[in-house]
Amino acid sequence: MDLKDRPIGFFDSGVGGLSVLKQAVKILPHEDFVYYGDSLNAPYGIRTSDKVKELTFNAVKILINKNIKALVVACNTATSVSIEDLRKQYAKSMPIIGIEPALKPAVKNKKNGKIIIMATPVTLSESKFNNLMKKYNYNDNIVPMPCPGLVELIESGIVEGPEVEGYLKERYSCLIETEIASIVLGCTHYPFVKKALIKVVGEMGKDPFIIDGSSGTVNQLKRQLLKYDMIKKPGDEKGTVRIFNSLDTKKIIDLSYKLLSIK
């Protein structure tokens, strides 16, 4: 198989990375994609760094065995913990693209108020995130918000309704009197509850700029494919998407395709 015709591999701790894959399908419609979610071991955000690294490398080996030409680690936690080691091992073979909280566009927004960064506890504790904070934390306006339990809700298929809204109301209850400029969705699962989030903060009388790292990650993927002349030649046919998951159940695969098709 010609290198350009090989699929692009996407990995996440579960179904969250599908939010990034959705952007990739839009921006690179002629490419083929293979997605692997490790829902059996989700969430990564409550595990030790060593365990996250072990699980990430195991998943990447599965994708490499599917003859991929590039790898997107569409998981903030896995990127924080493992991206440097992945590049040391595989960068000579293929482009390795990670994702991180979209703090830069949130800071550039220039709107008055706090910048809330929703992420898993592990992502917020890793040095990669702390270095990102130091880079942009020119004042006290950046507020990390750990969200334990939110990934589990999304993995179970609950992305809207009373349970998700109740969770978000509890998280934001301490910010009722706080002006919020932006909300950064620092986990690839979180865009799937964006509708519920908009409703909850709207009921609090707030209208923040809500952003995630999907577009930036996919644009970087496209740049790397062009750089190494690996991009698939446009044709009449759109690319394909194959989804695999460590749970290997009809329920999780059906949920994955459903989330991929959500507007």
Side-chain angles (χ1 to χ4, degrees), residues 13 41-56 75-83 99 101 117-131 133 144-149 151-152 186-187 190:
S13 60
N41 294 295
Y44 281 14
I46 61 171
R47 296 187 178 277
T48 65
S49 295
D50 286 344
K51 188 62 177 179
V52 170
K53 191 175 295 186
E54 175 190 338
L55 293 169
T56 299
C75 174
N76 292 84
T77 300
T79 296
S80 297
V81 174
S82 308
I83 197 69
I99 189 168
I117 304 177
M118 298 174 62
T120 68
V122 168
T123 294
L124 295 176
S125 68
E126 281 296 311
S127 58
K128 185 175 178 65
F129 174 76
N130 289 322
N131 290 335
M133 280 281 288
M145 178 187 285
C147 296
V151 166
E152 289 91 326
C187 171
Y190 299 169

Side-chain angles (χ1 to χ4, degrees), residues 9 11 56 60 71-76 78-79 83 86 96-99 217:
F11 161 68
T56 299
V60 169
L71 172 69
V72 178
V73 183
C75 174
N76 292 84
T79 296
I83 197 69
L86 284 171
I96 310 287
I97 294 92
I99 189 168
T217 299

Side-chain angles (χ1 to χ4, degrees), residues 155-203:
E155 283 287 322
S156 66
I158 303 171
V159 296
E160 57 185 343
E163 193 168 358
V164 169
E165 291 172 17
Y167 178 95
L168 295 171
K169 285 176 182 177
E170 189 278 327
R171 289 280 93 189
Y172 279 86
S173 61
C174 62
L175 298 171
I176 292 175
E177 302 300 325
T178 303
E179 190 172 1
I180 300 175
S182 304
I183 297 175
V184 177
L185 305 180
C187 171
T188 54
H189 282 76
Y190 299 169
F192 291 117
V193 298
K194 185 176 179 179
K195 185 186 295 185
L197 178 61
I198 291 172
K199 179 179 178 181
V200 167
V201 297
E203 289 174 351

Side-chain angles (χ1 to χ4, degrees), residues 85-148:
D85 289 329
L86 284 171
R87 285 174 176 152
K88 286 178 184 177
Q89 185 158 335
Y90 296 116
K92 291 182 179 179
S93 305
M94 70 182 78
I96 310 287
I97 294 92
I99 189 168
E100 62 183 27
L103 189 51
K104 183 178 180 180
V107 170
K108 284 188 171 182
N109 185 33
K110 301 296 184 181
K111 188 176 179 181
N112 291 329
K114 302 289 187 182
I115 298 172
I116 311 300
I117 304 177
M118 298 174 62
T120 68
V122 168
T123 294
L124 295 176
S125 68
E126 281 296 311
S127 58
K128 185 175 178 65
F129 174 76
N130 289 322
N131 290 335
L132 187 66
M133 280 281 288
K134 289 176 184 176
K135 183 177 180 180
Y136 294 108
N137 196 11
Y138 54 88
N139 54 33
D140 62 352
N141 277 354
I142 299 173
V143 181
M145 178 187 285
C147 296

